[in-house]
């Protein structure tokens, strides 16, 4: 199985302060990888570096076989790499409909962009009822649906998701996790998922990438992390 | 009563120009979160271009078109070669650079065109029409009011109905998210500056023939009034800019008419102070829950 994402000896940080050091792992096409670790482990920094919002200070990122160095952030979505940033990155001043339209504006295939938008409304029923509402009027769960749905309109091949379960009811979290699993199995989507909620992340992930203080301490099959008490104790503290 | 009506009409037509000017300020504020203190000087520069074309071709309309095109170009140029490289972390940086640009533009205009007032012809009669024995608006006033309303409507359509308008709004509100969605935020900023300067150019062409004359400093007081109008309406709100412009135009017209023209500059400052004290976000500011 080929890996759609290969991260090699990646270092990055804010100004002179290094956050990521020598991070190496890869994500096979069509799988879900969960990035786990305590606050400050560098999980969000990792996603921001992968999508080009932060410039790496060393190492490299290969996406779909090509080095991402020097590729502009706004071109990544055209290549099928979508990043949903933490804090439910929706544009709160725009309506639900406008947020979704924005997600498909770059696409040349207008008909498919519209089709994708309709699919999102079918997938996330509450959004369809609130098309004309501004983003700041939505509940936490609706915002997360909107951010995720908007990313799906790009028909991505690799989805970077930052804390999709933050502040959500367990039932909604479970729905979103099940949806991700379904998209991976049916459409060949690959997901790199940053999660605080270790249990729910491991319930759908194929691989667990455990980070601590900016380094990858282990990248193991999720089933092993789930079942092996020693591993869990050592790396995840439960 | 007649005098009150006359002052009202007069206030509305000068207010329309303030509204256009305030709109230019709001456009840049929304796109870049800075107040373009060089707006007045930039508008004067484009008005010089416009009237140079008028004097060569003899056509006001060609001159107006040239001024608006010059505004588009100047706005894009200022953003691309100057404002892009200013550190925006401290808002004072933007102000100082913009004031430097004002000095530069006014000096260059003085060198090229001279520092004396040049008469500028209006395309329509500026004498007020009398309707039922009351001096109402002049044809020129009507043209000003109509032109500004059309521009406001067009901008509204641009922002709410077109893909580029959606991109511009998204870039202004959430630049990082917009980049992740494939929006070239830097280009949207350039477009925002170009549009704002074009609206400013239109405002300049409209205000110069109203007895102001063409001069490198012609827009200095107009800028202060327009800034007040933008603050009155709320810097974030295009609709607020228009209402603020008309409101300030009316207030100043009454003040000038009843208290005398000497009090006008003072009235502007009092109004600005009052708004900042009572409602610093402007009349049209909306309190919004911003996500973090």
């Amino acid at each position: 199985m080929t890996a759609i994402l290969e991260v090699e000896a990646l270092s990055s940080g804010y100004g002179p302060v290094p956050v990521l050091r020598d991070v190496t792992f890869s994500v096979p096409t069509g799988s879900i990888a969960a990035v786990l670790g305590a606050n400050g482990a560098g999980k969000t920094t990792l996603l921001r570096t992968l999508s080009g919002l932060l410039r790496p200070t060393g190492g490299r990122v290969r996406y779909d076989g090509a080095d991402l160095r020097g590729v502009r952030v706004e071109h990544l979505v055209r290549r099928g790499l979508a990043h949903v940033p933490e804090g439910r990155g929706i544009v709160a001043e725009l309506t639900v409909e406008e947020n979704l339209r924005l997600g498909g504006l770059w696409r040349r295939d207008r008909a498919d962009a519209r089709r994708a938008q309709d699919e999102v409304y079918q997938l996330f029923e509450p959004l369809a009822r609130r098309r004309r509402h501004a983003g700041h009027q939505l509940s936490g769960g609706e915002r997360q649906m909107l951010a995720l749905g908007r990313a799906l309109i790009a028909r991505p091949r690799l989805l970077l998701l930052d804390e999709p379960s933050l502040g959500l009811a367990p039932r909604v979290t479970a729905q979103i996790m099940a949806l991700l699993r379904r998209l991976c199995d049916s459409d060949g989507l690959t997901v790199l998922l940053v999660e605080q909620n270790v249990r729910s992340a491991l319930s759908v992930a194929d691989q667990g990438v455990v980070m601590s203080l900016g380094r990858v301490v282990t990248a193991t099959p999720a089933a092993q992390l789930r079942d092996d008490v020693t591993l869990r104790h050592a790396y995840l503290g439960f | 009563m007649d005098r009150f009506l006359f002052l009202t009409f007069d206030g509305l037509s000068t207010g329309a120009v303030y509204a256009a000017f305030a709109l230019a300020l709001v456009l840049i504020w929304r796109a870049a979160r800075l107040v373009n203190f060089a707006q007045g000087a930039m508008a004067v520069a484009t008005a010089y271009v416009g009237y140079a074309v008028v004097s060569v071709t003899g056509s006001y309309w060609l001159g107006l078109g040239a001024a608006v095109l010059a505004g588009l170009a100047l706005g894009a140029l200022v953003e691309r070669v100057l404002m892009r490289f200013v550190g925006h972390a401290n808002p004072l940086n933007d102000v100082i650079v913009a004031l430097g640009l004002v000095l530069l533009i006014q000096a260059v205009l003085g060198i090229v065109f001279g520092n004396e007032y040049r008469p500028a012809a209006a395309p329509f009669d500026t004498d007020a029409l009398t309707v039922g024995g009351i001096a109402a608006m002049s044809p020129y006033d009507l043209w000003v009011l109509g032109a500004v309303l059309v521009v406001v409507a067009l901008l509204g359509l641009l922002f709410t109905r077109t893909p580029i308008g959606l991109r511009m709004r998204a870039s202004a509100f959430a630049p990082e998210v917009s980049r992740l969605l494939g929006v070239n935020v830097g280009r949207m900023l350039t477009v925002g500056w170009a549009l704002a300067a074009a609206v400013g150019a239109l405002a300049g062409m409209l205000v110069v023939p109203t007895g102001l004359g063409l001069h490198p400093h012609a827009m200095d007081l107009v800028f202060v009034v327009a800034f007040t109008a933008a603050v009155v309406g709320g810097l974030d709100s295009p609709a607020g800019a228009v209402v603020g412009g008309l409101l300030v135009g009316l207030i100043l017209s009454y003040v000038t008419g009843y208290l005398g023209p000497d009090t006008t500059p003072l009235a502007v400052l009092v109004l600005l102070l009052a708004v900042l004290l009572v409602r610093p976000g402007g009349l049209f500011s909306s309190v919004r829950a911003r996500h973090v």
Side-chain angles (χ1 to χ4, degrees):
Chain A
M1 196 189 267
T2 55
I4 193 167
L5 181 71
E6 295 161 276
V7 181
E8 287 168 31
L10 189 67
S11 311
S12 161
Y14 302 89
V17 188
V19 178
L20 296 185
R21 302 154 205 251
D22 202 23
V23 168
T24 300
F25 67 95
S26 64
V27 184
T29 310
S31 73
I32 298 181
V35 182
L36 309 169
N39 272 332
K43 305 187 297 289
T44 293
T45 306
L46 172 63
L47 290 201
R48 292 175 62 83
T49 310
L50 293 180
S51 67
L53 291 173
L54 273 179
R55 207 178 281 263
T57 48
R60 61 179 185 164
V61 179
R62 290 175 71 80
Y63 166 70
D64 204 17
D67 197 326
L68 283 189
R69 193 186 334 225
V71 178
R72 298 166 64 108
V73 176
E74 50 266 40
H75 289 156
L76 284 175
V77 72
R78 292 170 172 77
R79 293 188 177 204
L81 194 160
H83 176 187
V84 180
E86 69 179 331
R88 312 187 187 106
I90 62 167
V91 187
E93 290 85 351
L94 301 181
T95 64
V96 168
E97 181 99 15
E98 286 172 334
N99 266 284
L100 291 179
R101 273 223 318 274
L102 187 65
L105 274 188
W106 59 272
R107 300 195 54 188
R108 289 192 193 285
D109 188 347
R110 310 298 317 152
D112 190 59
R114 260 194 305 280
R115 206 155 45 234
Q117 193 171 321
D118 291 338
E119 285 170 23
V120 168
Y121 281 135
Q122 277 163 21
L123 215 49
F124 301 113
E125 231 269 299
L127 294 183
R129 287 197 302 267
R130 314 201 67 176
R131 285 170 203 237
R132 307 251 170 262
H133 286 71
H136 59 80
Q137 295 173 299
L138 301 184
S139 73
E142 288 166 341
R143 286 181 188 215
Q144 190 57 54
M145 290 176 200
L146 181 55
L148 184 58
R150 195 184 52 192
L152 293 178
I153 283 180
R155 301 230 187 264
R157 289 185 296 148
L158 175 62
L159 189 57
L160 310 179
L161 278 182
D162 204 342
E163 301 268 7
S165 76
L166 193 71
L168 296 193
R171 190 178 49 86
V172 184
T173 305
Q175 278 171 1
I176 286 179
M177 295 298 161
L179 169 69
L180 293 177
R181 187 72 257 175
R182 207 162 68 234
L183 290 171
C184 288
D185 295 342
S186 63
D187 301 354
L189 175 72
T190 309
V191 178
L192 185 64
L193 178 71
V194 160
E195 260 303 339
Q196 293 275 358
N197 187 340
V198 176
R199 282 168 210 275
S200 84
L202 286 181
S203 70
V204 290
D206 300 292
Q207 184 190 194
V209 179
V210 183
M211 292 186 69
S212 174
L213 301 174
R215 295 174 195 276
V216 172
V217 287
T218 184
T220 18
Q224 244 176 48
L225 276 173
R226 225 165 21 225
D227 304 334
D228 190 325
V229 182
T230 351
L231 263 181
R232 258 189 7 228
H233 271 306
Y235 294 131
L236 300 170
F238 74 96
Chain B
M1 191 60 200
D2 286 5
R3 183 157 175 75
F4 177 78
L5 279 177
F6 170 76
L7 291 175
T8 304
F9 288 129
D10 195 48
L12 283 178
S13 68
T14 48
V17 174
Y18 298 145
F21 227 72
L23 196 60
L25 286 173
V26 166
L27 285 177
I28 288 184
W29 173 263
R30 277 167 59 110
R33 296 284 137 185
L34 62 90
V35 175
N36 180 17
F37 280 90
Q39 191 88 73
M42 286 166 68
V44 174
T46 55
Y48 269 102
V49 172
Y51 279 101
V53 171
V54 172
S55 69
V56 171
T57 63
S59 161
Y60 174 84
W61 305 107
L62 282 178
L64 182 67
V68 170
L69 286 180
L72 283 173
L74 183 61
L77 187 75
V78 166
E79 196 279 320
R80 277 271 139 150
V81 306
L82 193 63
M83 287 307 184
R84 178 158 295 207
F85 303 102
V86 179
H88 299 299
N90 182 350
L92 205 54
N93 294 349
D94 302 317
V95 177
I96 300 297
V97 170
L99 291 178
L101 186 61
V102 171
L103 295 179
L104 177 72
I105 289 175
Q106 288 178 342
V108 169
L109 289 177
I111 292 167
V112 177
F113 296 99
N115 270 318
E116 57 274 353
Y117 280 93
R118 291 160 160 251
F124 297 106
D125 197 352
T126 50
D127 291 332
L129 301 166
T130 40
V131 180
I134 298 163
M137 291 180 155
S138 70
Y140 186 73
D141 291 339
L142 288 172
W143 148 242
V144 168
L145 206 54
V148 171
L149 291 179
V150 166
V151 166
V152 170
L154 286 179
L155 283 175
L157 287 176
L158 178 80
F159 277 110
T160 56
R161 295 270 183 271
T162 68
I164 194 166
L166 182 56
R167 284 193 185 95
M168 288 175 74
R169 281 190 295 152
S171 308
F173 292 131
E176 195 167 88
V177 170
S178 300
R179 289 185 75 197
L180 290 173
L181 295 173
V183 178
N184 188 335
V185 172
R187 188 178 301 157
M188 290 308 117
L189 196 55
T190 310
V191 173
W193 271 85
L195 265 183
V199 174
L202 174 80
M205 287 298 282
L206 292 177
V207 74
V208 162
T210 57
L212 206 58
L214 201 51
H215 183 271
H217 290 270
M219 231 64 96
D220 287 3
L221 185 61
V222 177
F223 174 80
V224 177
V225 178
F227 175 64
T228 307
V231 172
V232 166
L235 273 170
D236 246 327
S237 163
V242 175
V243 176
L246 294 175
L247 204 63
V248 170
L250 283 174
I251 292 173
L252 293 187
S253 177
Y254 297 140
V255 168
T256 310
Y258 291 121
L259 302 176
D262 295 344
T263 49
T264 316
L266 197 61
V268 177
L269 296 178
V270 169
L271 186 62
L272 182 60
L273 204 61
V275 171
L276 288 177
L277 284 174
V278 176
R279 204 173 155 83
L283 297 178
F284 280 68
S285 65
S286 50
V287 182
R288 281 176 176 151
R290 281 179 187 266
H291 66 282
V292 260

